Amino acid sequence: MPTLASATVGARLWLLIEYSGAWPSHLESFELPEKISELVRRALERGIRPQLIRRPGKRTRPQEQGIRVLVAHAAGDRPWLASGVVAGPDDLDLDALVAGVVPGSCILEDEPVFLVCTHAKRNACCARIGLPLARSLAESLPDRVWETSHVGGDRYAANLVCLPHGIFYGSMSQAAALAAANAYRSGEIILDRYRGRAGIPEPLQAVEHFARAHTGECSVGAVAVESSRSDGDVTEAIVRCGDVRFQVVVEPSVFTAPCGTACAETITTYRLVSLDRLTPVRYATPALA
């Protein structure tokens, strides 16, 4: 099953809230302790993606004096991640996150974090496949791995999210997850099982995927869509790969899901229509008469 161009579109800002209690099927139901629910509500109001997190394999743990949170600004070419412990919602300035500023109650992290979806109440496969993967990954990367609530794309379980960039992988094995995490720590992407970068429209995720596949470029920041336009279902974009630019055209393609109606009868993915390298234009100043 193709995984490309399936990362969550509406997730450029993230709020991770540690909560080891029972997770409701939907965070928007606010069936959580008052302070946790209020944090979720404030995040949603500001267009921030809220996630519940907990350490792999630990369902109960001594409650700290406050609530451990992580915030991520995943937009642009300089994303960042910060963490803190807050007494309650009023101690976390989410408006600062929206403005691209580290909240005063948090401090920047110098290492990425990895989220594995294990949200059983949303999809049993996420827990069945995600739980052992999260535990295995945590053995290699202690303190950098969290189980998390629904991230989107249950049919791609197990799902792995790398923050702060918001890099999504799907259909992960334990070996593939470790390889992807180590690559990300080195500033690189592995294209196998790569779903895309969150916060970017799906056609542009597809454009990036095909540009990377064509060039072999694996650096996280080396590929960027500079401009795009759509005509019906067809999307045309100019994408930069290092110092080279390409014109890439993609269109939707329907794929029949192998699991049938368990997740979806069909899945919309994208196919490459054309990919052409652009010749640099050299401007000349006419000689004065």
Side-chain angles (χ1 to χ4, degrees):
M1 178 169 61
T3 59
L4 69 96
S6 62
T8 301
V9 172
R12 297 170 72 84
L13 307 171
W14 297 71
L15 169 62
L16 316 180
I17 309 164
E18 184 177 16
Y19 180 61
S20 58
W23 294 349
S25 60
H26 293 76
L27 272 62
E28 312 90 82
S29 68
F30 303 112
E31 298 171 2
L32 291 160
E34 181 179 356
K35 291 181 179 180
I36 304 292
S37 288
E38 181 62 15
L39 279 169
V40 170
R41 184 186 68 78
R42 293 186 184 187
L44 292 171
E45 285 179 347
R46 291 162 173 80
I48 299 169
R49 173 87 184 199
Q51 297 285 143
L52 299 180
I53 58 172
R54 61 192 171 206
R55 288 298 185 192
K58 296 180 180 178
R59 292 296 174 270
T60 59
R61 58 180 299 181
Q63 189 64 39
E64 296 182 0
Q65 294 301 311
I67 304 167
R68 179 173 295 279
V69 297
L70 292 97
V71 292
H73 192 276
D77 58 358
R78 290 183 168 234
W80 50 262
L81 177 73
S83 64
V85 177
V86 299
D90 291 339
D91 292 332
L92 182 61
D93 185 358
L94 292 178
D95 290 327
L97 173 60
V98 173
V101 179
V102 178
S105 54
C106 297
I107 188 169
L108 283 173
E109 295 266 319
D110 59 3
E111 284 280 340
V113 298
F114 303 96
L115 309 179
V116 179
C117 181
T118 61
H119 201 167
K121 286 189 178 179
R122 284 297 290 264
N123 188 289
C125 292
C126 291
R128 179 175 59 82
I129 307 173
L131 283 169
L133 187 146
R135 291 169 185 156
S136 173
L137 192 59
E139 290 178 0
S140 299
L141 299 170
D143 299 327
R144 307 317 300 170
V145 179
W146 297 88
E147 295 180 17
T148 193
S149 52
H150 178 67
V151 297
D154 298 326
R155 58 184 171 270
Y156 301 111
N159 283 297
L160 174 70
V161 181
C162 310
L163 289 175
H165 280 84
I167 301 297
F168 272 57
Y169 288 94
S171 303
M172 298 300 276
S173 65
Q174 293 180 20
L178 181 59
N182 283 333
Y184 182 63
R185 295 178 75 213
S186 299
E188 296 184 344
I189 288 171
I190 293 177
L191 208 55
D192 180 40
R193 314 187 200 208
Y194 176 54
R195 290 181 56 189
R197 183 175 178 184
I200 299 174
E202 289 178 351
L204 301 188
Q205 293 181 37
V207 164
E208 179 202 338
H209 177 98
F210 291 122
R212 287 185 182 276
H214 178 75
T215 62
E217 180 59 68
C218 58
S219 174
V220 172
V223 178
V225 176
E226 296 185 329
S227 63
S228 66
R229 65 180 179 184
S230 296
D231 183 5
D233 288 338
V234 177
T235 297
E236 174 187 341
I238 303 301
V239 58
R240 173 184 56 78
C241 291
D243 296 327
V244 181
R245 286 178 171 80
F246 296 89
Q247 180 188 53
V248 185
V249 180
V250 299
E251 66 180 7
S253 177
V254 176
F255 175 82
T256 302
C259 55
T261 57
C263 296
E265 291 185 358
T266 59
I267 297 170
T268 298
T269 183
Y270 291 85
R271 78 174 192 91
L272 178 64
V273 177
S274 64
L275 188 153
D276 298 295
R277 178 170 177 161
L278 299 180
T279 303
V281 177
R282 292 178 172 83
Y283 296 96
T285 303
L288 296 176

